[in-house]
């Protein structure tokens, strides 16, 4: 393997030898001329399986990477970032290799050292992630497939980013076994995928935030506009149903958001048309990467008439706009896109670039880089109309008929929006219930929310794959994350055995209460 290598350069015989072999080599040092033990630092992820997808992992540098200028100072056997922050900020953390210039004899033996160059340590990264909040989010996703993204709506800092299922990235440092690799690679729930950033899903009813903004801004509706929801809308030769078969009765925009009335937003979508609706979606940040700095990042999809003609070769049909208006159809978004949209609604309209790195410091503590609040756009809505949308989102959680009423937090006014994204289309005339569907075909559950309602401190987006209903599967996760961030850990309640009270004066045991 090392044929042609200069004879004075050491050749690795065995790595990660363990204490027993180390002891054996050291005991026989004088009988093993030319053999030496080298010690190398090795990455160790202290909290196994936590923030795995955000942090990423290291792996041995490949032949292709060694040919790249970006890795010119590396050699075979070195480790480099393969995913996550380990990959995107590799250059900041790597440092520079030290070395010695030596004089050797004809046999390749070192005669003397001419020059020594000290190694330079890499920089230290300080992340925005709240470790306690990350643990809560991961615990909420245990046994589920999905993602949680929480951000500070005032500066765009990512407070937690969880993707489930996950894995222990330390296995790539010690050498992943073939069995472990096959298990992870063949898992249908895709543990290697960072669902928070890479996975793309129909946004479902969370998209009604955008439809409401577009309808209000275009003057199609105002706070007094109402429509009757009998549980369906007949359009062309097809019946578009509302999720509540009995209907919602007379509905305005506030009630439509609170109770997630499909029929109201069908009407708004028809009046807007697909291209106007798409303009608002793009202006709200959908259809483009957020710039969080993790690669690859999903773009999502904002459909237009021109896009369909180019992609499918068929003209856009007006009836398709109804599906898009409620977040179905060709719509695709990532959890981090919806988290940043929610943050913009919370902070009054500023679209912020998310960041995972609070600062980068040199080994001696000097500031290399410091995160700053970066505004990348503004929601296309007036302050007055945004307030109408915010009132609707408040009612979602705080009104008895709101779809997330059960997720409310005592002492905290939370705002939000539920969503239930169909995984498969339903054929007209076929009324399959969700109980009839196989687990992997059941709808995905969404909830986006922020709190407090006044002066928000946190915005969260959650998706639970095949969770069926946003109100029951995703809203409680957001509620738990917000509760932990704003109110702190739950008090520990201890059960004391009766008669086993504290020892009082004189050593007597008092009664247990």
């Amino acid at each position: 393997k090392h044929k042609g290598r200069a004879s004075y350069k050491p050749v690795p015989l065995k790595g990660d030898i363990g204490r027993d072999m180390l002891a054996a080599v050291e005991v026989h040092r004088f009988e093993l001329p030319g053999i030496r033990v080298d010690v190398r630092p090795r990455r160790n992820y202290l909290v196994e399986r936590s923030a795995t997808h955000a942090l990423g992992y290291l792996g041995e540098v490949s032949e292709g990477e060694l040919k790249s200028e970006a890795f010119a100072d590396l050699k075979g056997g070195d480790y480099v970032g393969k995913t996550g922050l380990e990959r995107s900020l590799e250059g900041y953390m790597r440092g520079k290799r030290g070395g010695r210039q030596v004089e050797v004899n004809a046999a390749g033996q070192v005669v003397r050292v001419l020059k020594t160059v000290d190694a330079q340590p890499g920089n230290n990264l300080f992340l925005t992630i709240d470790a306690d909040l990350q643990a809560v989010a991961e615990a909420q996703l245990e046994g589920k497939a999905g993602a949680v993204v929480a951000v500070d709506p005032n500066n765009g800092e990512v407070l937690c980013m969880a993707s489930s299922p996950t894995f222990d990235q330390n296995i790539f440092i010690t050498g992943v076994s073939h069995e472990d690799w096959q298990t992870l690679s063949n898992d249908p729930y895709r543990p290697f995928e960072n669902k928070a950033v890479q996975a793309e899903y129909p946004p479902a009813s969370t998209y009604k935030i955008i439809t409401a903004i577009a309808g209000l801004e275009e003057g199609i509706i105002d706070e007094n506009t109402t429509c009757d929801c009998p549980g369906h809308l007949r359009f062309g030769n097809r019946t578009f149903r509302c999720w509540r078969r009995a209907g919602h009765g007379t509905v305005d925009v506030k009630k439509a958001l609170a109770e997630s009335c499909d029929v109201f937003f069908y009407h708004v979508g028809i009046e807007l048309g697909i291209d106007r609706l798409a303009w608002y979606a793009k202006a709200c940040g959908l259809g483009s990467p957020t710039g969080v700095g993790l690669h690859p990042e999903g773009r999502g999809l904002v459909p237009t008439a021109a896009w369909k003609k180019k992609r499918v070769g068929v003209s856009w049909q007006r009836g398709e706009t109804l599906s898009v208006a409620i977040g179905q159809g060709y719509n695709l978004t990532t959890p981090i896109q919806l988290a940043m949209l929610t943050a913009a609604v919370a902070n009054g309209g500023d679209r912020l670039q998310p960041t995972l790195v609070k600062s980068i410091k040199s080994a001696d503590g000097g500031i290399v880089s410091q995160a700053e609040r970066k505004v990348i756009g503004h929601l296309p809505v007036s302050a007055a109309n945004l307030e109408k949308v915010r009132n609707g989102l408040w009612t979602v959680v705080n009104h008895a008929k709101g779809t997330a009423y059960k997720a409310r937090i005592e002492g905290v006014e939370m705002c939000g929006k539920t969503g239930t994204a169909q995984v498969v289309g339903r054929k007209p005339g076929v009324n399959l219930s969700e109980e009839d569907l196989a687990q992997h075909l059941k709808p995905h559950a969404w909830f986006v929310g922020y709190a407090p309602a006044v002066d928000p401190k946190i915005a969260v987006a959650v998706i639970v794959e095949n969770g069926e209903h946003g109100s029951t599967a995703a809203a409680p996760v957001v509620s738990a994350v917000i509760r932990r961030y704003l109110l702190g850990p739950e008090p520990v309640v201890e059960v004391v055995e009766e008669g086993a009270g504290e020892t009082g004066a004189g050593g007597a045991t008092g009664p247990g209460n």
Side-chain angles (χ1 to χ4, degrees):
K1 183 178 179 181
H2 295 278
K3 187 177 181 180
R5 187 184 181 97
S7 59
Y8 58 87
K9 289 185 177 181
V11 174
L13 301 179
K14 188 173 180 62
D16 198 21
I17 60 174
R19 289 183 177 274
D20 291 345
M21 187 174 289
L22 171 63
V25 172
E26 289 296 329
V27 166
H28 296 280
R29 281 180 65 187
F30 295 105
E31 302 163 41
L32 298 170
I35 302 296
R36 73 167 190 260
V37 176
D38 270 354
V39 178
R40 285 187 178 186
R42 187 172 72 184
R43 183 79 84 242
N44 180 37
Y45 299 98
L46 298 179
V47 185
E48 293 181 2
R49 304 171 66 84
S50 182
T52 294
H53 300 87
L55 297 178
Y57 61 86
L58 295 180
E60 191 170 341
V61 64
S62 67
E63 281 190 37
E65 287 170 327
L66 286 172
K67 295 176 183 177
S68 167
E69 289 186 12
F71 302 100
D73 58 336
L74 298 186
K75 61 183 182 180
D78 285 341
Y79 279 74
V80 296
K82 296 294 186 178
T83 65
L85 292 172
E86 291 277 24
R87 174 184 173 181
S88 59
L89 296 177
E90 160 78 24
Y92 283 99
M93 293 185 284
R94 188 190 310 153
K96 293 184 178 180
R97 190 190 306 278
R100 299 184 304 166
Q101 186 178 32
V102 298
E103 181 180 324
V104 298
N105 59 23
Q109 297 173 317
V110 176
V111 176
R112 59 174 176 155
V113 177
L114 302 177
K115 184 179 180 181
T116 300
V117 177
D118 293 332
Q120 295 181 21
N123 299 306
N124 295 316
L125 268 61
F126 294 83
L127 305 187
T128 61
I129 289 177
D130 182 313
D132 292 335
L133 199 65
Q134 182 75 22
V136 169
E138 289 168 345
Q140 289 291 316
L141 288 179
E142 186 69 33
K144 307 167 187 173
V148 178
V149 181
V151 299
D152 185 330
N154 300 297
N155 55 25
E157 292 184 356
V158 177
L159 303 173
C160 74
M161 179 182 287
S163 179
S164 178
T166 185
F167 58 93
D168 178 12
Q169 62 265 61
N170 283 310
I171 64 175
F172 291 94
I173 304 300
T174 56
V176 61
S177 69
H178 177 74
E179 182 181 354
D180 286 343
W181 175 260
Q182 289 297 318
T183 299
L184 291 169
S185 298
N186 296 328
D187 190 322
Y189 293 105
R190 314 177 308 283
F192 284 137
E193 180 181 54
N194 183 353
K195 294 178 174 61
V197 169
Q198 297 173 342
E200 299 173 335
Y201 309 90
S205 291
T206 63
Y207 188 90
K208 291 172 182 174
I209 295 172
I210 292 172
T211 308
I213 286 174
L216 289 165
E217 282 298 300
E218 292 293 317
I220 292 168
I221 56 171
D222 59 28
E223 68 270 34
N224 299 314
T225 303
T226 62
C227 81
D228 181 61
C229 171
H232 63 274
L233 175 66
R234 187 71 181 175
F235 188 81
N237 61 355
R238 183 178 170 189
T239 298
F240 290 81
R241 299 196 176 278
C242 187
W243 72 268
R244 180 177 288 173
R245 294 302 176 92
H248 292 90
T250 302
V251 186
D252 59 13
V253 65
K254 183 177 179 179
K255 183 178 178 181
L257 285 169
E259 300 183 28
S260 202
C261 175
D262 294 329
V263 169
F264 182 90
F265 290 102
Y266 288 152
H267 283 290
V268 178
I270 291 169
E271 293 298 320
L272 283 168
I274 187 59
D275 289 331
R276 273 201 293 179
L277 190 54
W279 184 89
Y280 278 92
K282 291 177 180 178
C284 286
L286 303 191
S288 301
T290 64
V292 69
L294 298 178
H295 305 285
E297 181 180 358
R299 298 181 62 89
L301 175 61
V302 176
T304 64
W307 169 85
K308 186 189 175 188
K309 187 69 174 178
K310 181 178 179 181
R311 179 69 179 271
V312 186
V314 179
S315 297
W316 188 268
Q317 303 299 309
R318 287 187 67 204
E320 294 177 298
T321 308
L322 278 69
S323 296
V324 172
I326 64 165
Q328 293 290 163
Y330 294 110
N331 271 325
L332 291 174
T333 53
T334 63
I336 196 166
Q337 285 176 338
L338 288 186
M340 299 317 296
L341 169 61
T342 307
V345 172
N347 69 32
D350 285 345
R351 288 182 47 229
L352 304 175
Q353 181 173 300
T355 181
L356 279 159
V357 181
K358 187 180 287 288
S359 64
I360 302 175
K361 296 182 181 181
S362 62
D364 59 8
I367 299 292
V368 176
S369 176
Q370 189 82 35
E372 295 181 355
R373 184 178 191 267
K374 185 175 181 180
V375 178
I376 57 176
H378 300 275
L379 295 181
V381 60
S382 67
N385 283 335
L386 181 59
E387 192 58 30
K388 294 165 190 171
V389 174
R390 286 162 59 109
N391 286 338
L393 301 183
W394 181 90
T395 311
V396 169
V397 182
N398 298 285
H399 191 276
K401 289 189 176 181
T403 53
Y405 183 65
K406 292 182 179 179
R408 64 196 183 283
I409 305 169
E410 185 177 352
V412 176
E413 289 194 347
M414 178 171 67
C415 303
K417 186 72 195 76
T418 54
T420 301
Q422 289 184 7
V423 175
V424 291
R426 307 291 180 87
K427 292 182 179 180
V430 178
N431 294 318
L432 279 176
S433 68
E434 286 166 7
E435 288 74 20
D436 296 326
L437 295 172
Q439 181 61 35
H440 70 285
L441 297 178
K442 292 186 177 187
H444 299 322
W446 277 108
F447 189 72
V448 298
Y450 64 87
V454 178
D455 191 21
K457 299 292 191 297
I458 183 172
V460 190
V462 167
I463 181 136
V464 178
E465 291 186 4
N466 312 118
E468 297 192 55
H469 302 292
S471 58
T472 55
V477 178
V478 173
S479 181
V481 170
I482 289 179
R483 183 187 295 111
R484 176 64 179 82
Y485 189 69
L486 296 180
L487 301 180
E490 295 283 345
V492 177
V493 179
E494 294 183 348
V495 178
V496 181
E497 183 182 355
E498 190 173 345
E502 302 255 352
T503 302
T509 301
N513 295 315

